[in-house]
Amino acid sequence: MTTLLIGPTDRTVAITVQQRTRQRPPETFRILAPIDLPTVFRPVAPFPGVSSVANQTETWDHAGPRRNPQFDDGSQVDEELTEYTEGSSFAYQLTNFTNVLSRLAAGVRGEFNVSPDGDGSLIRWTYEFKPLPGRRWILAGPFAPLWRRYMVAALARCVQVIEAEKSRA
């Protein structure tokens, strides 16, 4: 059983972005959950992109699988899928960053939710940082707008991949 990184008493820093797609929720989720990380997580200064994924031995379709996203600056992180509700949401946690985040946060809980939105879907993505002692002000202050920009760009690329799949169908 996984030990969850964030508990009810933790003071975290959460950043949420959302975007709509014309694809219906089941199709959106089917494409989004196992999406190719290097395709959508590209560099957005000052943050690196994902260059590859190592050590993934299970499909990304149930709680439990682990993998190691590799960043194009040579750093990496441990990722574990902690929750998975077919067709609507999944959550994961990131720990053991080997880049600057290792000096700011104990880890991150990420969550994607896919909801009906007219004839399409609304994708809501939250990144919840668990700050290291004395670092919350950095994450909530100067770091947050830079990270939000990274998330907006990555989610826009996710939607491009989802829309491209709709065009092929």
Side-chain angles (χ1 to χ4, degrees):
M1 181 178 215
T2 299
T3 301
L4 295 180
L5 173 71
I6 296 174
T9 60
D10 289 321
R11 289 192 61 222
T12 62
V13 175
I15 302 170
T16 301
V17 297
Q18 65 183 32
Q19 191 163 340
R20 289 171 169 79
T21 176
R22 293 183 300 266
Q23 191 79 279
R24 293 196 173 277
E27 291 79 24
T28 295
F29 188 86
R30 180 183 57 77
I31 298 163
L32 180 63
I35 204 158
D36 180 59
L37 301 184
T39 298
V40 296
F41 294 99
R42 296 187 190 144
V44 176
F47 304 110
V50 174
S51 58
S52 65
V53 175
N55 305 317
Q56 183 172 335
T57 59
E58 296 180 66
T59 57
W60 210 247
D61 61 2
H62 63 282
R66 297 169 185 256
R67 61 188 179 188
N68 299 101
Q70 309 290 304
F71 300 105
D72 56 17
D73 66 355
S75 64
Q76 69 171 16
V77 67
D78 296 339
E79 181 178 22
E80 180 180 1
L81 191 58
T82 57
E83 298 172 30
Y84 189 91
T85 303
E86 179 67 40
S88 65
S89 68
F90 63 94
Y92 54 95
Q93 59 187 31
L94 303 167
T95 55
N96 302 316
F97 285 94
T98 63
N99 58 21
V100 71
L101 281 175
S102 69
R103 295 188 292 277
L104 297 175
V108 172
R109 180 184 188 277
E111 182 176 345
F112 279 93
N113 289 281
V114 177
S115 305
D117 186 61
D119 289 338
S121 302
L122 175 68
I123 303 169
R124 184 171 289 122
W125 178 28
T126 299
Y127 228 65
E128 187 178 10
F129 293 89
K130 181 176 181 175
L132 289 171
R135 304 298 198 287
R136 188 177 191 286
W137 71 272
I138 297 170
L139 290 170
F143 182 86
L146 297 172
W147 191 256
R148 180 179 307 280
R149 190 177 70 197
Y150 183 85
M151 290 176 70
V152 166
L155 187 54
R157 285 190 288 276
C158 287
V159 168
Q160 288 173 345
V161 169
I162 292 162
E163 294 291 328
E165 181 76 17
K166 181 177 175 90
S167 296
R168 283 192 285 275

